[in-house]
Amino acid sequence: MALGHLRRAAAALLILPVLAGTALAQGGDPPPNRVLRVVPHADLRTLDPVSVSVVITRMHGLMIYESLFAWDSQLRAQPQMVGEHSVSPDGLVWRFTLREGLRFHDGQAVTTRDVIASLRRWMARDVVGSHLGARVAAMEAVDDRTFEMRLSRPHAFVTYALGSAVGQIPAIMREQDAQTDPSRQISTTVGSGPFRFNRERWLSGQRVVYDRNPDYVPRAEPADGLAGGRVVNVDRVEWLIMPDAASAAAALQTGEIDIWEQPALDLLPVLTRRREIQVDRLNTLGTQSMLRPNSLFPPFNDPRARLALAYATDQAEVMAGGWGDERWWRRCDAYFVCGTAYGSEAGAEGYARPNLERARQLLRESGYNGERMVFITSTDIPPIGRMAEVVASNLRQIGMNVDLQVNDWGTVITRQPRRDPPSQGGWNLFVTNASGATMQHPLTNIGTDMSCEGRNWSGWPCDEEAERLRAAFLDAPEGAERTRLAEALQRRLAEVQPYRVLGQVDVPYARRANVQGMLAAPVMVFWNIRKQ
């Protein structure tokens, strides 16, 4: 009798995952141990990962879309949607064949028509994409699974670009979605990735819900960064929006949530004392904090005014204000991130410490005469709001008339791309953060693109010499010459200041100890994770 009970119990355990998946497919709720509850750093406001470079939208994009290649934990490009690829001896003709089993969430097979339309839209929007796109002479389908990309000149970073996890990601969408005007955001959410967006359960400002895609076929390789097999071990991921840090900390301690993506640093001592909570770093490159001026309008259309920002701001004061304990942050004046292959601080020696008199002089030389400076920020992401307050105080000390306007983060990110004059809804300054993976390379660093066509990132700085050096770097062979050009580019950037580097921070995350399988990646992803 006892043996019969054991056999029936074992059989029941074997069919539980199947029943959970069936319930989910029918619109029911999976059991708690199959739901991963996460407090993200911000609310999701924009659904189109090709329209904006906002991190939360990028995280959303990686849940539901895929790209042709993906970066592993060492930021090397590995095939993702691509099964096979080749390049001609002259480096001008690339041929890509999609792997089998790729289907969109609506059941349609992914074809090269979808891929080509998606890449064209991405190349019209993204810094990395536009650089590659400038050398693409043609993209043509060979058949439904194979296409060719013909270049006018060789490009050393083709697969690296096609796997980009920074800026606006090269997400592969359905052809009808990808044909949307690149300047317009799409509102559809049909990808081919490991999760499906659950629009019915999405409640802006409260929760975002993703369900496991039961039809997704992962790659066979082990997960490594964003590359390899994207195996989903839970039935649902819920992002719960909790702007109040104390509430998030309490929820993590009681087990109401499983992961807190960016815990408040002043609460870490409380969390680390709990054995059921683990605090860790997501990757080794950290995050770069920056002050971005708008170069379209006075005074920051003059590089002297932008340089004044560097002399006026005290990195230690700003970073301590934003991030607290110095064990989490460091001074750094390298545009391409301290501690990396191209992390030189050359040219920044003069403003390693504040020089307010020099800042005032440069401001006067730029023609500034007390005009109101619109500084947009938000307290929804507390470190950003606190850093902005410190920077505003620094700038007032050099005579700048700062109007610090605090809005919700969604308003800030929708205002950033506006090119209107500051007096008509535009802006002069904002503070933000960008992942070290984004900023560590001249190709992917969105802030150092100073191309003068006006297609670069919000702020739109223009400098032909910086662009000449960046282009030379990207064409140079790997090795000493590329390193030399990276340092020359750093010196030029330190002079013309497309943005003020405020410092570098290792942003930790916190999770319950029963959550295993977190991946070292440029942004947090939710495949490979198990709840024990």
Side-chain angles (χ1 to χ4, degrees):
M1 188 72 168
L3 183 59
H5 279 305
L6 286 173
R7 285 173 175 165
R8 285 193 293 273
L13 285 174
L14 286 173
I15 65 172
L16 268 177
V18 177
L19 291 176
T22 302
L24 190 61
Q26 294 174 351
D29 292 322
N33 68 327
R34 302 284 297 175
V35 179
L36 191 69
R37 294 182 172 88
V38 181
V39 172
H41 70 278
D43 189 17
L44 178 68
R45 299 294 185 88
T46 304
L47 300 176
D48 183 355
V50 183
S51 70
V52 296
S53 60
V54 181
V55 173
I56 194 69
T57 299
R58 193 178 316 149
M59 290 170 60
H60 158 81
L62 288 168
M63 295 288 279
I64 65 174
Y65 297 106
E66 287 194 285
S67 51
L68 297 180
F69 290 80
W71 292 350
D72 65 18
S73 57
Q74 302 302 309
L75 304 184
R76 298 170 300 202
Q78 306 293 349
Q80 187 59 36
M81 297 179 79
V82 164
E84 299 177 353
H85 70 283
S86 61
V87 60
S88 61
D90 60 5
L92 295 179
V93 180
W94 290 75
R95 176 174 280 223
F96 305 95
T97 299
L98 301 176
R99 64 187 178 93
E100 295 183 2
L102 297 176
R103 290 194 172 275
F104 288 112
H105 300 156
D106 63 0
Q108 293 185 55
V110 179
T111 72
T112 51
R113 295 187 304 277
D114 305 300
V115 171
I116 291 171
S118 297
L119 292 181
R120 284 175 175 157
R121 185 167 185 264
W122 168 67
M123 289 173 181
R125 292 289 304 174
D126 180 63
V127 170
V128 178
S130 63
H131 190 275
L132 175 59
R135 300 192 184 186
V136 173
M139 285 189 288
E140 295 179 353
V142 176
D143 55 39
D144 280 352
R145 288 183 49 221
T146 301
F147 77 102
E148 284 189 350
M149 177 186 293
R150 293 197 295 276
L151 306 181
S152 58
R153 292 170 53 200
H155 193 293
F157 301 97
V158 171
T159 59
Y160 184 77
L162 294 177
S164 176
V166 301
Q168 288 107 315
I169 60 175
I172 303 304
M173 304 175 174
R174 298 178 304 180
E175 182 181 26
Q176 62 262 42
D177 299 326
Q179 287 177 336
T180 302
D181 184 333
S183 65
R184 289 179 49 218
Q185 294 182 10
I186 66 166
S187 58
T188 54
T189 53
V190 180
S192 63
F195 292 94
R196 293 175 174 175
F197 182 66
N198 190 325
R199 190 178 290 269
E200 290 184 358
R201 292 179 181 266
W202 177 36
L203 188 57
S204 182
Q206 294 189 34
R207 68 171 180 266
V208 187
V209 179
Y210 301 90
D211 294 328
R212 180 177 63 86
N213 176 9
D215 300 322
Y216 178 74
V217 179
R219 295 188 68 89
E221 302 93 337
D224 179 14
L226 298 178
R230 298 181 176 183
V231 177
V232 177
N233 298 309
V234 295
D235 288 325
R236 176 170 288 167
V237 177
E238 296 180 354
W239 293 355
L240 304 176
I241 312 306
M242 292 188 186
D244 180 67
S247 298
L252 185 66
Q253 291 176 80
T254 60
E256 295 174 61
I257 63 170
D258 303 298
I259 301 171
W260 189 3
E261 187 201 355
Q262 289 189 14
L265 297 185
D266 58 345
L267 294 177
L268 287 183
V270 175
L271 299 178
T272 54
R273 286 197 293 268
R274 303 289 293 264
R275 286 190 302 174
E276 70 273 19
I277 294 175
Q278 301 289 323
V279 176
D280 203 353
R281 292 171 171 83
L282 191 63
N283 57 62
T284 59
L285 290 179
T287 295
Q288 185 182 84
S289 296
M290 70 178 85
L291 171 64
R292 182 71 162 184
N294 189 337
S295 296
L296 294 183
F297 302 101
F300 300 120
N301 58 342
D302 189 316
R304 290 171 294 188
R306 301 196 298 267
L307 188 56
L309 300 176
Y311 281 102
T313 46
D314 184 343
Q315 283 192 341
E317 186 178 350
V318 175
M319 296 300 285
W323 303 100
D325 193 331
E326 191 172 357
R327 67 177 173 155
W328 297 109
W329 57 265
R330 62 182 288 186
R331 292 176 182 269
C332 175
D333 280 304
Y335 278 95
F336 304 116
V337 181
C338 291
T340 67
Y342 307 120
S344 168
E345 296 181 271
E349 299 83 1
Y351 50 78
R353 296 293 186 274
N355 184 335
L356 299 187
E357 187 50 47
R358 177 63 175 149
R360 294 186 189 103
Q361 178 188 353
L362 287 166
L363 206 54
R364 288 193 299 269
E365 291 175 1
S366 73
Y368 179 71
N369 193 32
E371 294 83 2
R372 181 174 68 106
M373 295 290 100
V374 176
F375 193 155
I376 56 174
T377 195
S378 174
T379 56
D380 290 358
I381 305 175
I384 286 179
R386 293 195 296 263
M387 286 190 292
E389 290 177 359
V390 175
V391 169
S393 176
N394 290 162
L395 299 185
R396 288 176 183 129
Q397 291 182 57
I398 64 170
M400 192 168 284
N401 177 14
V402 177
D403 177 11
L404 188 64
Q405 298 184 5
V406 181
N407 298 108
D408 63 273
W409 185 239
T411 299
V412 172
I413 63 175
T414 54
R415 197 169 170 183
Q416 285 173 1
R418 293 183 59 174
R419 298 171 185 257
D420 307 283
S423 61
Q424 299 175 28
W427 54 275
N428 294 107
L429 296 159
F430 66 80
V431 165
T432 193
N433 301 308
S435 71
T438 301
M439 311 309 275
Q440 53 86 35
H441 196 286
L443 177 63
T444 59
N445 186 308
I446 58 175
T448 59
D449 179 354
M450 301 189 74
S451 52
C452 297
E453 297 87 357
R455 293 169 58 187
N456 46 349
W457 183 49
S458 298
W460 308 283
C462 163
D463 186 77
E464 292 181 356
E465 175 60 13
E467 282 304 288
R468 184 191 69 78
L469 289 167
R470 192 166 74 101
F473 168 91
L474 294 173
D475 284 336
E478 187 173 2
E481 177 62 6
R482 194 179 284 176
T483 301
R484 183 191 70 79
L485 286 164
E487 180 167 321
L489 176 57
Q490 160 70 28
R491 287 185 181 278
R492 180 62 180 176
L493 296 171
E495 180 182 353
V496 298
Q497 290 287 311
Y499 62 89
R500 165 57 165 147
V501 180
L502 295 176
Q504 204 163 302
V505 60
D506 288 322
V507 182
Y509 74 93
R511 58 176 169 82
R512 300 283 297 181
N514 67 325
V515 174
Q516 303 294 324
M518 302 288 294
L519 292 166
V523 296
M524 187 173 285
V525 294
F526 302 101
W527 55 83
N528 202 58
I529 295 177
R530 293 183 181 273
K531 286 181 67 173
Q532 304 295 334

